[in-house]
Amino acid sequence: MFDKFNEECALVGVWNHLEAANIAYLGLHAQQHRGQAGAGVVSLENGERARFYAHRGQGLVADVFNDFDFSRLPGRAAIGHVRYTTAETASLANVQPLQAEISMGCVAIAHNGNLINAAELREKLIGDGAIFGATTDTEIFLHLLARSPKNVPKVETIITALEQVHGAYSLLVMYGDRLFALRDAYGIRPLCLGKLDGGWIVASETCAFDLIGADYVREIEAGEVLELSMDGKVKSYFPFGMAKERPCVFEYVYFARPDSLVFGRNVYAVRKRMGRELAKELPVEADYVIPVPDSGVPAALGYSQESGIPFEFGLIRNHYVGRTFIEPKQAIRDFGVKIKLNPNSDLLDGKSIVVVDDSIVRGTTCRKLVKMLRQAGARQIHLRVSAPPTIDPCFYGIDTPQKSDLIAANKSVEEIKEYLGADSLVYLSMEGLYRAINSDKTSFCDACFSGKYPISVGKPRSHKQQELFNV
Ligand code: AMP
């Protein structure tokens, strides 16, 4: 069940705006870092009869909507989605938002997160005669909604569906007359609410609001189902009571854009403090602090400011890296990593450097980087990681390899240092991480660093029975 493919995604929803689809597209563009495999927007025209229009495609937002005529997506409401996935599930059928005609009318849905009991639910639904056209977990929600009786309030169709799913999700569900924005009871994946020209906007990250000039209002709360209707009414429900929030700490470490406000904190500021904490934990003498761009930049700045060691760009990034490259027959040394990062030899020659990155997953990139930096003349390389060792996979929507491929799950810090070829290696401690976030560790999901999963990844249970375990 757990070797399934995780999906990293971003959501955007626009409610009551003249240019809803165009705004949704811009919101996706701002959140492109959360997924590059596919993008889509579904708009809703709410005349005498609600009609949905869709445009989806594989690849980057700018490519999917290249020269796109937005009059093909009319209406004052729209939802959009970008997805990251592995090649195995990268088919157009999986590109969201998904839409369908069910007893309540048209419905479109976009999802960020992962369901723990997806395989069981799928098997059961197929056994009951459901027809699946995609392999994404998101389609399960559609089938659960489709099974709701026709005459119940739409919010109840959502609650009944949620009672059956078990996992992490931020979700947008658009019916012909209302939009629901919701987060699972632990609020693992982000979702926030903004205002734009008298209408509403929801997005995974606030950097989407900044691009389109929307005002941030608040987060959709953990366990909240927010209902926006055409008559302007906004209703909020907490159908499963108040569970303890456990948002994903990895959003701060790597995933979110630094200029976003996530779970109430500016990501850039948190990352810089992670670097400061790292500098305090085991000081070292060096000529320069070098970030691994882009993910290591804010932490390296924090490290530099705390330690007093000058910050320099010792690795230069090529920003135009696409998906695949045709390597010449005669293999080029370290081609895979060089295509993205190149050492600044003039700066590095004979120098002792602190190299800061946000995380080491398999260790493959880092090992090549260390080799490249040595070839460029670095005398001493002190690796510093601005997060604790990644020892367990994420089952809640961040793409991580299985445990056997996580270097820190299988080797000691000393062994990792040897494998990477560094002169020293220090990870940020769990205490340092939470000092940087200014929170205590029971407030976040840090399963990737602790192995403590707030939502059971063992036997699936009903949503109402979820309980914290292992904490
Ligand atoms: P690795 O070579 O597997 O150790 O890769 C480590 C690099 O991958 C680090 O520089 C991270 O910034 C980056 N990284 C960490 N988590 C993820 C993720 N879920 N998806 C893509 N890249 C990641």
Side-chain angles (χ1 to χ4, degrees), residues 8 250 254 295 357-366 398-399:
E8 298 168 349
F250 206 71
Y254 169 77
S295 54
D357 202 358
D358 65 283
S359 56
I360 299 176
V361 184
R362 290 184 172 88
T364 43
T365 316
C366 200
I398 298 275
D399 183 46

Side-chain angles (χ1 to χ4, degrees), residues 324-391:
T324 51
F325 296 95
I326 301 153
E327 209 172 336
K329 286 203 184 78
Q330 185 91 49
I332 295 175
R333 213 174 33 192
D334 300 323
F335 181 81
V337 67
K338 265 197 215 151
I339 202 92
K340 188 169 160 196
L341 295 170
N342 193 36
N344 188 356
S345 312
D346 187 59
L347 176 91
L348 296 170
D349 197 20
K351 295 293 190 284
S352 170
I353 53 173
V354 173
V355 178
V356 181
D357 202 358
D358 65 283
S359 56
I360 299 176
V361 184
R362 290 184 172 88
T364 43
T365 316
C366 200
R367 189 173 192 212
K368 287 177 184 162
L369 278 180
V370 171
K371 206 168 126 204
M372 253 170 41
L373 290 165
R374 287 227 190 270
Q375 281 160 358
R379 185 167 46 84
Q380 283 195 330
I381 300 175
H382 301 285
L383 275 178
R384 295 295 181 269
V385 183
S386 58
T390 306
I391 55 164

